[in-house]
Structures are given as C-alpha cells and as structure tokens.
Amino acid sequence: RMLKRQMQCRLDINRLNAVFLAIYESLIPSEEEKVKQEQFFMLLEKLVNKEWPEAGLYLYGSCANSFGVSKSDIDVCLAIEDAEINKSEVLLKLADILQSDNLQNVQALTRARVPIVKLMDPVTGISCDICINNVLAVVNTKLLRDYAQIDVRLRQLAFIVKHWAKSRGVNATYQGTLSSYAYVLMCIHFLQQRRPAILPCLQEIGHTYSVTVDDIQCAYFDQVEKLRGFGSGNKETIARLVWGFFNYWAYNHDYANAVISVRTGSILSKHEKEWTRRNGNDRHLICIEDPFETSHDLGRVVDKFSIKVLREEFERAADILHNDPNPCATLFEPY
Ligand code: CTP
Ligand code: MG
C-alpha cells in the first residue's frame, strides 16, 4: 500500500509538472510578436533620433528581460546625456513628435512618480511607456536577462508566479502589493538558496561587466554562457519549485528580521540595513533589496493592510499545492 501511495504521489507531481509547463509555454510571446515589437521600437528610434541625434533609446522591463508574457506593454527609456535637460520639457516635446506621426493615445504624464509618455501604435496594437534617463532600470533589465540564461527553471518559475500574482490581484504597487520586478527577484533569490543551488550569485563572482550609473557601481559576471548547466546537479522539477516558493513565503520567511538579497545571494538582517523602523513612508514589512540600488527596498510599497493580503495569498497558494488534487484550477482562480 505504501508503494502504491508513493507511486500515486509521483504520478500527481508529474501531471502537475506537465500542467505548469503547458501554462508556461502558452504564456511565451510568439516570434511574430517579438518581430512586431522590434519594428515598432525601430520606428521610435528613428523619430527620436531626428530630434535628439545624440540620445540613446533602450528597451527595459519585461519586453527585454525575458520575463515578459505575450501581449505585454513595452517599456522604453530615452537616455539623454545632457545634465541640463528639463524632463518635463523633453517629455512634452516627445509627445508632440509622436502625436504628429499618427501614433494614438499619446499622453505626457509629467507629474507621475516616474514621468512618462504613454502611447499606442495603431498598426501593431502595441502600447508603450517611454521614460527619460532611467538607466538603472536598463542595467537591472540586463541582470535579469542574464540570470534567465543560466537555468530555464527561473523563467518557468517566474512566469507561473507572475501569472498567479496577476490572477490573484497581488501585482499592483499602487494597491500596496508587489511589482513584477520584485517577484522576479524573489524567484532568483529562491533558486540561489536551493541546495544544490540552481542559480549562482552573479555579483559575487569575478566582474566581467561594470558600469557606473547615477553614482552607483553596477558590476557582475555577465559571461553567462559559461554558466549553462550550473544548476544541473539539482534535479528539482518546476512543480516542486513552485510549491517550495509559496511554502517559503507562506511559512518559512522571517518577516520580522529578514531581507532577501540577490546581490549577495543570501539573507541579510533588517538590523544591518537599518530597515527596522518605519522610515518616512517605507515600512519594510517584507524586505527585498534592489541588486544595485541597495538602499531601495522593493517591499516599501507594502502597508499594514496589503501585507495581510499578500501573506494570505502565499498561504492559500501553498495550501492548495499541498492538499488540492487538481491545484491549477484553484491556484489561478480570479480573485
Ligand atoms: N523597475 C525598477 N524598480 C522598481 C520597479 C521597476 O528598476 N521598483 C524597473 C525594472 O527594470 C523592471 C522595469 O522597471 O524590469 C519594469 O517594471 P515592472 O513593470 O515591475 O516589470 P515588468 O518586467 O515590465 O513586468 P510586466 O510584465 O508586469 O509589465
Ligand atoms: Mg512592464
């Protein structure tokens, strides 16, 4: 009877694995979509370079970090070296240029926390946000993309977690829950912590890439093609990892004292970061250190109400994966 139960269990986990992989596959953007994004980006580059020949235009966020699901908006950064520029003026000028090139719904949001121009391309249906000089975001996009090359389980886990977070309504910073960027860092950290480790800590090994942005040195090992197979000593399946991820955030994370840190590949203490007290609006109820802007806690948007929502959702997910014979239907149920 024991053997029979063990075999049943193995069958269930294999079936669950197949279901997670199918969800992952269905979320990957098609080649056709990628080509459209590139064409649209080239059009933007042409328009921008006419006005600012010296400026650089960069993709960042999910369209460039390999964690973008199909039909995502694209994030673009316009980098202008000139220190004298007035961001609002540039954004208004940019909106003007784009408007007269038949792009739709062009809006300059100059008073937003991150000021942007929003627009939509009527030909491809792609929506896009353009910000000015957010070069750190371009660099952390590269870091995430490089991590994704090392072991495919990172991209699989992050797609499932992002899909879960969007379905359950816990992927909205304006409502006090976490950004997609924060969830991806949580996944990287989780895979760095497995034994044997599935991901290395790129900032702790010999730096092959180094740039200084806004006085912050961003350096890490970026020759990731040399690290393929790094995690092959660990045979854990995606189903096991998804369960482990939710179980960690539901029952094993020390919310009172711990800070997760991709930069060091370890857990730091709130104490050493001086994140023990409320600091202005930063409450540090769940602490996720930004890999480059180390004073930046990605959990700072979380308040005393939304921390409850988040933790209940982690527990719900962990319990479903533990007990439910057909967990996928319930796990991604719209809230
Ligand atoms: N970013 C950042 N700091 C934050 C939030 C975001 O630097 N606190 C940058 C990151 O470079 C991130 C990008 O902004 O990749 C976009 O953030 P976000 O919208 O959270 O993630 P996406 O990967 O674009 O996810 P989605 O598919 O949900 O759009
Ligand atoms: Mg985005």
Side-chain angles (χ1 to χ4, degrees):
R1 273 238 313 271
M2 267 285 267
L3 190 68
K4 205 171 151 196
R5 263 194 55 191
Q6 270 179 8
M7 284 181 48
Q8 185 58 44
C9 222
R10 189 159 305 156
L11 276 178
D12 286 348
I13 200 101
N14 282 341
R15 206 184 51 196
L16 187 56
N17 226 15
V19 175
F20 280 139
L21 287 178
I23 295 174
Y24 163 69
E25 298 284 345
S26 72
L27 292 170
I28 297 177
S30 67
E31 249 338 283
E32 188 192 346
E33 193 179 334
K34 283 278 156 206
V35 170
K36 277 187 184 166
Q37 283 184 356
E38 264 159 48
Q39 283 170 344
F40 177 50
F41 180 73
M42 273 156 37
L43 167 73
L44 289 178
E45 243 179 351
K46 203 183 79 194
L47 295 173
V48 163
N49 279 333
K50 242 193 267 170
E51 177 70 30
W52 296 281
E54 306 287 303
L57 203 62
Y58 301 93
L59 282 172
Y60 72 101
S62 65
C63 58
N65 66 17
S66 72
F67 297 101
V69 303
S70 129
K71 315 226 158 47
S72 299
D73 297 352
I74 69 174
D75 300 301
V76 175
C77 167
L78 172 60
I80 299 183
E81 294 262 358
D82 184 357
E84 304 289 291
I85 60 153
N86 173 319
K87 275 193 191 177
S88 297
E89 274 171 27
V90 173
L91 285 171
L92 290 169
K93 176 104 206 164
L94 181 62
D96 224 37
I97 294 168
L98 299 169
Q99 189 99 53
S100 43
D101 201 81
N102 285 328
L103 290 159
Q104 281 178 357
N105 309 344
V106 180
Q107 275 177 291
L109 307 180
T110 53
R111 288 151 177 271
R113 195 180 54 83
V114 179
I116 52 169
V117 172
K118 284 179 101 53
L119 65 136
M120 210 268 280
D121 174 22
V123 180
T124 56
I126 297 174
S127 295
C128 162
D129 292 350
I130 307 177
C131 67
I132 314 281
N133 288 353
N134 190 2
V135 181
L136 269 174
V138 177
V139 177
N140 68 37
T141 292
K142 173 173 157 60
L143 179 72
L144 266 47
R145 185 175 60 233
D146 286 337
Y147 268 114
Q149 309 259 325
I150 299 170
D151 195 296
V152 68
R153 286 171 288 183
L154 170 59
R155 197 168 175 227
Q156 293 167 343
L157 176 64
F159 269 47
I160 300 291
V161 169
K162 277 179 66 176
H163 182 53
W164 163 83
K166 285 183 206 289
S167 313
R168 299 300 301 166
V170 287
N171 179 207
T173 48
Y174 63 91
Q175 290 175 342
T177 56
L178 299 171
S179 65
S180 297
Y181 177 58
Y183 282 114
V184 175
L185 291 173
M186 289 157 79
C187 291
I188 295 174
H189 177 262
F190 176 72
L191 298 181
Q192 287 176 330
Q193 296 290 300
R194 301 311 285 171
R195 290 297 171 264
I198 294 178
L199 291 178
C201 172
L202 293 177
Q203 289 168 276
E204 293 273 286
I205 45 188
H207 300 162
T208 52
Y209 169 83
S210 174
V211 287
T212 303
V213 181
D214 306 340
D215 294 325
I216 297 174
Q217 204 212 351
C218 307
Y220 67 94
F221 183 80
D222 77 334
Q223 296 177 0
V224 283
E225 62 287 348
K226 296 190 179 147
L227 293 171
R228 285 217 186 98
F230 174 92
S232 58
N234 182 316
K235 305 283 180 220
E236 288 177 298
T237 61
I238 187 63
R240 176 71 186 78
L241 293 169
V242 171
W243 177 77
F245 178 88
F246 286 118
N247 202 56
Y248 173 77
W249 287 101
Y251 302 113
N252 294 333
H253 181 70
D254 179 2
Y255 286 83
N257 302 301
V259 175
I260 66 153
S261 164
V262 164
R263 172 179 62 99
T264 59
S266 67
I267 303 238
L268 307 176
S269 70
K270 287 194 194 181
H271 194 76
E272 68 188 286
K273 301 234 22 137
E274 295 180 34
W275 284 356
T276 46
R277 272 167 292 106
R278 175 169 169 171
N279 199 335
N281 252 340
D282 294 10
R283 293 175 185 81
H284 305 302
L285 301 174
I286 173 172
C287 295
I288 303 157
E289 181 194 58
D290 186 273
F292 299 125
E293 262 183 298
T294 55
S295 64
H296 190 164
D297 175 8
L298 292 157
R300 68 182 177 183
V301 291
V302 177
D303 61 37
K304 64 180 180 192
F305 301 105
S306 59
I307 187 67
K308 250 190 102 212
V309 173
L310 263 178
R311 293 187 62 172
E312 282 170 9
E313 282 297 331
F314 290 136
E315 286 167 27
R316 177 184 180 275
D319 296 347
I320 288 171
L321 289 165
H322 209 85
N323 303 318
D324 200 319
N326 179 21
C328 280
T330 2
L331 188 60
F332 304 109
E333 210 165 71
Y335 61 105

